[in-house]
């Protein structure tokens, strides 16, 4: 029997389709800069990603465009270093903006919406290998990590990332002079909490470090694939 369209839509609205996705989100890192004229389309694409419950979108502002006339107030040399480590792990000899890294493995040049959608879908199809549970008490965060299908071959880095949900900046100099640009999920700090061997459940405790949204991720040392990620409530 075929349900009327109105009943079908009502039924579908009751299905918790996002629960699985939110439990195993895909991490998208955007390496960007306020001084890069090619970056605004990628910044806008990242903003669209923030509406998805199955993606953790993070903007890492790099500092190597600061010399051309505008110093990016969000830039951190540590983010440039992270991008260089990704390049080395992939056998590349240069870095550039804008660049997106999906779950620590696949990279995307520029702001190609369809290609990014395909990459995210491909990572969502992979069975999760690890699980993160987070528990907050006052300013303390307890992180519990466990493999989902037996021991894993480590080591894995456990990262704690804080970000500013939204900022608007008026660019006065450089390639984007005269523009007022919106930025989302701007990473403000990136802390290495510890190392996990992947052999069994482990518990780590750390300071939340403030009121900003916080992400915890488990990533192959290298950097390599991001096995699991979660947002602290």
């Amino acid at each position: 029997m075929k349900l009327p369209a109105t009943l079908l839509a009502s039924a579908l609205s009751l299905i918790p389709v996002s629960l699985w996705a939110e439990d195993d989100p895909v991490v998208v890192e955007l390496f960007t800069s306020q001084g890069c004229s090619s970056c605004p389309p990628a910044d806008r694409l990242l903003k669209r990603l923030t509406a998805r419950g199955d993606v953790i979108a993070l903007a890492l502002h790099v500092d190597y465009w600061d010399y051309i006339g505008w110093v990016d107030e969000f830039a951190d040399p540590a983010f440039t270093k992270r991008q260089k480590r990704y390049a080395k792990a992939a056998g590349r000899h240069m870095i550039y903006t804008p660049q997106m890294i999906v779950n620590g493995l696949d990279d995307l040049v520029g702001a190609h919406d369809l290609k990014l959608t395909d990459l995210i879908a491909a990572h969502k199809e992979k069975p999760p290998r690890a699980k993160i549970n987070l528990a907050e008490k006052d300013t303390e965060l307890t992180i519990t990590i466990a493999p989902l299908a037996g021991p894993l071959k480590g080591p894995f880095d456990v990262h704690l990332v804080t970000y500013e949900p939204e900022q608007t900046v008026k660019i006065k100099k450089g390639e984007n002079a005269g523009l007022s640009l919106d930025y989302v999920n701007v990473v403000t700090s990136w802390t290495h909490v510890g190392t996990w061997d992947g052999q069994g459940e482990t518990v780590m405790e750390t300071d939340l470090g403030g009121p900003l949204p916080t992400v915890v991720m488990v990533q192959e040392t290298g950097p390599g694939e991001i096995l699991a990620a979660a947002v602290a409530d």
Side-chain angles (χ1 to χ4, degrees):
M1 181 179 69
K2 185 176 181 180
L3 289 174
T6 53
L7 291 179
L8 179 60
S10 178
L12 289 174
S13 69
L14 298 176
I15 300 175
V17 293
S18 65
L19 291 182
W20 174 85
E22 291 178 357
D23 285 342
D24 187 35
V26 175
V27 177
V28 177
E29 300 171 67
L30 169 64
F31 292 93
T32 186
S33 172
Q34 295 174 9
C36 162
S37 62
S38 300
C39 286
D43 297 323
R44 291 191 292 269
L45 177 54
L46 194 78
K47 185 174 183 178
R48 293 198 295 273
L49 286 182
T50 62
R52 295 184 55 157
D54 59 349
V55 173
I56 295 175
L58 299 171
L60 288 83
H61 286 242
V62 297
D63 62 350
Y64 50 83
W65 293 120
D66 288 358
Y67 77 95
I68 61 176
W70 179 257
V71 176
D72 189 328
E73 62 192 273
F74 306 140
D76 190 324
F79 303 154
T80 301
K81 183 177 179 180
R82 179 170 174 81
Q83 190 183 23
K84 288 180 177 179
R85 291 180 64 208
Y86 270 131
K88 183 178 180 180
R92 293 188 295 268
H93 300 290
M94 62 179 295
I95 56 176
Y96 50 86
T97 56
Q99 181 188 33
M100 290 185 176
I101 305 288
V102 182
N103 257 11
L105 283 184
D106 297 306
D107 74 305
L108 177 72
V109 183
H112 301 287
D113 200 343
L114 292 178
K115 183 177 180 181
L116 178 60
T117 299
D118 289 343
L119 287 175
I120 292 171
H123 281 278
K124 286 174 60 179
E125 290 176 359
K126 296 181 180 180
R129 295 194 288 157
K131 174 70 176 180
I132 300 175
N133 285 318
L134 303 177
E136 299 177 48
K137 184 177 180 181
D138 298 326
T139 62
E140 296 297 316
L141 181 67
T142 300
I143 305 167
T144 303
I145 307 167
L148 290 177
L152 299 170
K153 185 178 180 181
F156 303 98
D157 293 318
V158 181
H159 300 288
L160 185 145
V161 183
T162 62
Y163 63 87
E164 184 73 46
E166 192 163 3
Q167 289 277 5
T168 299
V169 178
K170 293 182 179 179
I171 312 296
K172 298 179 181 179
K173 298 180 181 179
E175 293 184 351
N176 291 320
L179 298 180
S180 181
L181 299 176
D182 296 326
Y183 296 100
V184 297
N185 292 15
V186 178
V187 175
T188 57
S189 69
W190 193 296
T191 305
H192 182 259
V193 178
T195 303
W196 177 47
D197 62 9
Q199 296 301 295
E201 182 176 296
T202 189
V203 178
M204 301 180 182
E205 294 186 349
T206 187
D207 190 344
L208 274 171
L212 291 176
T214 300
V215 175
V216 175
M217 66 177 70
V218 177
Q219 183 173 27
E220 291 178 343
T221 300
E225 182 178 7
I226 296 173
L227 272 67
V231 180
D233 294 330

